[in-house]
Amino acid sequence: MNSVIPLSAMDLSIAASLLVLLGGLTWWLRLGISQRLFVAGLRTVVQLLLLGLVLKYLFESSHPALIMLIAFVMVAVAGREVMARQHRPFKGSWGYGLGTFSMFISSFTITIFSLAFIVSPEPWYLPQYSIPLLGMMLGNTMTGVALTMDSLTTSAWQQRAVIEQRLMLGEDWRTAIRDISRQSLRTGMIPILNAMAAAGIISIPGMMTGQLLSGSSPFEAAKYQILIMFMISAGTGFAAVMSSWFGAKRLFDDRQRLRLERLSVPKG
Amino acid sequence: MAILTIKNLIIAHVGPVNLELKSGEIVCLSGASGSGKSLMLRAIADIIPATGTFSLGEMKSSSVMAPVWRRQVSLLPAESQWWFDTVGEHFNQPDLELMHALSFEKDCLEWEVSRCSTGEKQRLALLRVLTNKPKCLLLDEPTGSLDPDNTLKVEALLKRLAKQQQIPLLWVSHSHEQIKRVADRHFVMRDGKLVTYE
């Protein structure tokens, strides 16, 4: 198999001209997003080139401490994103900590497990494998955890009267919130279930596309994509279960009272 | 059977409240909206945090698990909530005798909650809390949306339960006629304090 055809600055400029064309169209249609389009385009260029630069350095040095550092930065940023995507996150350090912790445990465990026992590069933390795998894990877990937490806290808020009525009748907190937790888990896992069901028929997943473009055999690419799909499904599922469990527990105090004042008030 | 003791209850602008309900005693509570009557009932049922000690006979609320306390000292809120489709799914062991006392037949368990009237839901909610066999009842306007006929039926049932099973009742009501009919004692909530009604 051949290696990938290199892209010149000219090639990228031609692609960029398409974006300029779209910018002109949105301006003409008065959509009011031309500026955002420009900024987003610019961010793509800067962020991805920076990523390329960092990864290039990382792949050359392969220092475990540096890989750890990058991995932690990735989790930290994903945690912020999870909090930002919730309408009523928990107040204080719980708001950030709960989602980040669930993601951290689930995605790190599964990535390390896959690296050590399935892919087995030499050394097992080889950045060419570990960083992209972790990135894909986090990208999907992030969505799952954010959806789960948002559904849990929003439903608990909306159905607070029902939850309290169930507590009044002597149900324990687990029973009183059970339906809401289950629904939040379903909500969190649906995107990844859909992705698995659609993979290969409706969409060619991003990683497989990348491998095909870089000249891998389609069959090898397919096998890698299957591995990734299973990894991210498991990772998303475990993280969603964890965050839903901790989240539900945090909604109640030691006397099994619903404490919605622990959620922040949405702005605007 | 047991005495409900409330000592130094303080919650928001309410308190300190000290109150003792003897076995089988019906204590009515009235007062303006927002005076804190419901808040007080919710605090006693341990649904919201408050300071003070509550006990039923020898049992202190803080010494048992919250669900155990709430099954014995049960709160019937002014507005009932339902989460399953049919009425019957909300009941563990429906009691036919109680059903008849509230003019329901067994088929009411198959009713869809969404088709019940407000009054029906209020009586069904009472039925639901009574099937837990509570040892003390906190009632927040239990006849608030009932017609006169059903109001009398509910009053009769609750009075009978209080006297026969020696259950203390703490009963929030806005109707002076009702309070006259059922109450052994009557307090008014004023500026967060309980005042004996003259």
Side-chain angles (χ1 to χ4, degrees):
Chain A
M1 285 288 165
N2 309 319
S3 64
V4 65
I5 304 165
L7 292 176
S8 67
M10 191 61 201
D11 298 332
L12 292 182
S13 308
I14 296 169
S17 68
L18 293 174
L19 213 63
V20 172
L21 214 63
L22 178 66
L25 185 64
T26 57
W27 176 79
W28 186 66
L29 289 172
R30 308 251 186 289
L31 298 185
I33 55 166
S34 317
Q35 199 187 342
R36 271 166 61 189
L37 188 71
F38 176 74
V39 173
L42 209 65
R43 277 187 63 165
T44 304
V45 173
V46 174
Q47 287 169 196
L48 288 182
L49 286 182
L50 266 178
L51 177 70
L53 216 64
V54 170
L55 289 184
K56 185 167 181 285
Y57 179 70
L58 189 68
F59 287 2
E60 279 161 8
S61 89
S62 272
H63 197 287
L66 194 60
I67 299 170
M68 276 288 263
L69 177 72
I70 302 255
F72 277 114
V73 169
M74 284 162 73
V75 175
V77 175
R80 257 186 64 98
E81 186 64 23
V82 164
M83 196 166 95
R85 288 191 197 173
Q86 293 173 57
H87 193 53
R88 295 176 187 275
F90 282 100
K91 280 182 195 161
S93 52
W94 280 85
Y96 179 74
L98 214 147
T100 315
F101 179 74
S102 311
M103 262 191 317
F104 167 71
I105 297 288
S106 175
S107 57
F108 270 57
T109 312
I110 293 201
T111 306
I112 292 173
F113 173 82
S114 314
L115 284 169
F117 298 108
I118 305 176
V119 188
S120 311
E122 197 55 51
W124 65 268
Y125 52 80
L126 192 70
Q128 280 88 331
Y129 286 87
S130 59
I131 294 297
L133 281 185
L134 183 65
M136 274 184 291
M137 283 294 294
L138 281 177
N140 288 278
T141 338
M142 188 174 77
T143 309
V145 171
L147 285 173
T148 304
M149 291 297 297
D150 189 48
S151 163
L152 178 77
T153 50
T154 307
S155 308
W157 175 266
Q158 284 164 352
Q159 297 180 43
R160 56 193 181 278
V162 168
I163 299 173
E164 287 192 335
Q165 169 85 77
R166 299 183 73 153
L167 293 175
M168 285 171 203
L169 288 167
E171 289 188 353
D172 61 21
W173 66 272
R174 254 179 257 269
T175 318
I177 193 109
R178 183 170 293 148
D179 296 337
I180 291 173
S181 317
R182 282 194 185 141
Q183 186 52 47
S184 74
L185 279 176
R186 277 193 286 267
T187 307
M189 288 198 222
I190 278 172
I192 190 65
L193 292 182
N194 288 343
M196 276 207 288
I201 298 182
I202 304 164
S203 64
I204 299 184
M207 191 204 71
M208 191 166 166
T209 311
Q211 278 196 312
L212 292 176
L213 285 178
S214 70
S216 296
S217 108
F219 202 62
E220 281 311 311
K223 284 195 287 187
Y224 257 95
Q225 190 62 56
I226 292 170
L227 172 74
I228 293 295
M229 276 293 185
F230 288 173
M231 272 175 65
I232 58 183
S233 303
T236 306
F238 292 141
V241 169
M242 231 187 306
S243 64
S244 163
W245 198 84
F246 286 124
K249 195 164 162 48
R250 177 67 187 161
L251 284 172
F252 298 89
D253 63 13
D254 55 342
R255 292 296 298 169
Q256 308 200 21
R257 296 179 285 229
L258 183 65
R259 300 299 290 271
L260 287 175
E261 71 274 19
R262 288 177 178 174
L263 300 179
S264 50
V265 181
K267 294 174 196 78
Chain B
M1 278 197 295
I3 298 164
L4 178 71
T5 316
I6 298 151
K7 274 194 195 134
N8 293 318
L9 162 64
I10 299 175
I11 166 94
H13 61 283
V14 177
V17 170
N18 286 287
L19 185 63
E20 204 177 271
L21 276 76
K22 293 191 271 293
S23 309
E25 187 182 26
I26 302 180
V27 172
C28 279
L29 197 57
S30 61
S33 300
S35 60
K37 308 180 297 291
S38 303
L39 209 58
M40 184 177 141
L41 295 195
R42 284 161 63 83
I44 301 170
D46 208 1
I47 290 291
I48 48 171
T51 57
T53 51
F54 320 123
S55 44
L56 184 69
E58 297 293 296
M59 180 180 68
K60 275 174 88 174
S61 67
S62 54
S63 65
V64 291
M65 297 281 280
V68 175
W69 175 259
R70 292 175 194 142
R71 266 195 298 270
Q72 307 214 358
V73 180
S74 291
L75 168 59
L76 180 71
E79 201 178 319
S80 65
Q81 300 292 331
W82 304 83
W83 52 95
F84 294 120
D85 290 344
T86 64
V87 171
E89 289 170 280
H90 297 84
F91 286 81
N92 293 323
Q93 282 178 315
D95 184 322
L96 266 179
E97 198 203 332
L98 284 173
M99 259 185 224
H100 291 149
L102 290 166
S103 359
F104 288 119
E105 292 300 324
K106 203 170 188 316
D107 70 322
C108 75
L109 296 174
E110 273 132 54
W111 292 355
E112 277 176 51
V113 175
S114 57
R115 306 181 82 152
C116 293
S117 72
T118 320
E120 280 168 340
K121 275 192 253 184
Q122 187 155 37
R123 285 182 295 136
L124 287 167
L126 176 62
L127 187 64
R128 178 173 63 179
V129 73
L130 290 178
T131 54
N132 275 350
K133 306 208 182 311
K135 301 219 164 68
C136 170
L137 272 174
L138 312 168
L139 305 159
D140 198 350
E141 299 182 53
T143 61
S145 39
L146 299 186
D147 57 57
D149 196 34
N150 274 311
T151 300
L152 292 177
K153 270 185 192 152
V154 166
E155 286 174 7
L157 173 68
L158 286 170
K159 262 172 98 165
R160 182 162 62 86
L161 280 176
K163 302 307 165 194
Q164 279 179 0
Q165 301 183 21
Q166 290 294 295
I167 296 175
L169 305 186
L170 185 52
W171 186 326
V172 169
S173 175
H174 284 299
S175 152
H176 281 265
E177 289 73 35
Q178 177 170 67
I179 294 173
K180 259 184 222 157
R181 287 193 296 266
V182 301
D184 295 316
R185 279 189 288 161
H186 175 196
F187 292 98
V188 182
M189 177 81 83
R190 201 172 286 151
D191 301 325
K193 302 277 191 305
L194 292 189
V195 185
T196 312
Y197 182 78
E198 310 284 348

